[in-house]
Amino acid sequence: EFHIPSEHSGVRDISSKNESLRPDKTYFKSQLLDLILILIKKYKEHNKMFKKIYTRIDNNLLEEGYYLLKEFAQTIDDEDLSYFLLAELALVDGKFSLAEKRYKKLLSTFNDQGLIYNRLGDIKLVHKNENAAESYYAKAMEFNPDDLDTHMDLIRTYTLKNEIKKAKSSFNKAEVKFGKANV
């Protein structure tokens, strides 16, 4: 039986041994796992396949999980979901230009605009463009002010910009909004 692990709450320690705050392959794999958990709940008609994919990726059978996800994305009737999943795979593969192009194409049609803007912010952080990342994360917050991940991304962005007062203020607001244990 499939269960949702409690450790997948949306918040991750993204720092590596060199304490880099930039998203990397581990971060994007973690994001993909969190996303699949959301998709399991949101797309009941596909949750069996999403559970199978999640289990493979979570158990480090990455190639098999990614292959299943790609095959699923290429055969599903929902074109926006298909294109979004392919964008997610491009992001995990480090094909940031391709992922960005795909996300931007979905901006006017995908049902979760906040998530699209969040991913575009992640790409800008990878490319060391903190100002653009901040702009995308702010837009993501407009669509979904209750997304903890976006709040954390914005805090990371302020930290990278060396805007410590903004980072602390955002952290304190997130702590009040989401609780100390979640931030």
Side-chain angles (χ1 to χ4, degrees):
E1 181 177 322
F2 181 84
H3 63 46
I4 296 174
S6 60
E7 71 270 12
H8 292 287
S9 63
V11 179
R12 300 270 182 276
D13 175 8
I14 62 155
S15 60
S16 63
K17 288 181 181 168
N18 66 4
E19 309 229 324
S20 171
L21 293 175
R22 301 224 180 263
D24 59 13
K25 188 165 181 91
T26 302
Y27 175 79
F28 290 123
K29 175 192 167 199
S30 176
Q31 290 281 28
L32 182 62
L33 281 169
D34 287 343
L35 174 69
I36 292 171
L37 290 175
I38 292 166
L39 296 175
I40 287 168
K41 294 176 186 173
K42 189 172 183 176
Y43 293 94
K44 301 287 186 201
E45 69 274 21
H46 303 300
N47 76 14
K48 184 177 180 181
M49 177 55 80
F50 285 131
K51 287 177 183 178
K52 186 176 183 179
I53 292 165
Y54 178 91
T55 302
R56 300 302 190 285
I57 295 172
D58 195 41
N59 290 322
N60 280 323
L61 300 171
L62 301 178
E63 285 185 37
E64 186 178 336
Y66 295 163
Y67 175 80
L68 286 172
L69 187 56
K70 185 176 183 178
E71 287 294 309
F72 175 72
Q74 291 173 335
T75 59
I76 190 171
D77 290 334
D78 184 335
E79 289 181 30
D80 280 350
L81 180 58
S82 171
Y83 209 69
F84 176 75
L85 293 173
L86 292 172
E88 287 289 305
L89 286 171
L91 192 62
V92 170
D93 287 340
K95 298 175 182 174
F96 301 117
S97 296
L98 176 60
E100 183 175 16
K101 179 180 164 186
R102 288 179 173 165
Y103 289 127
K104 284 184 175 181
K105 184 176 178 183
L106 289 167
L107 273 175
S108 62
T109 60
F110 195 66
N111 60 6
D112 190 346
Q113 296 294 295
L115 182 56
I116 298 295
Y117 282 109
N118 180 283
R119 293 302 196 258
L120 289 168
D122 290 345
I123 291 168
K124 293 304 177 187
L125 273 189
V126 168
H127 291 301
K128 300 181 181 181
N129 187 342
E130 290 82 13
N131 291 330
E134 179 183 1
S135 177
Y136 279 127
Y137 292 139
K139 191 74 171 168
M141 296 266 275
E142 288 175 25
F143 283 96
N144 189 359
D146 296 326
D147 182 47
L148 177 58
D149 184 55
T150 302
H151 282 269
M152 300 308 287
D153 289 337
L154 201 51
I155 293 165
R156 176 178 41 246
T157 303
Y158 291 142
T159 303
L160 287 166
K161 291 175 71 172
N162 204 25
E163 294 178 353
I164 304 307
K165 285 183 182 181
K166 281 186 177 180
K168 284 182 181 179
S169 175
S170 293
F171 179 84
N172 291 337
K173 288 176 187 174
E175 192 174 59
V176 167
K177 184 171 189 132
F178 301 105
K180 194 173 198 163
N182 293 319
V183 178

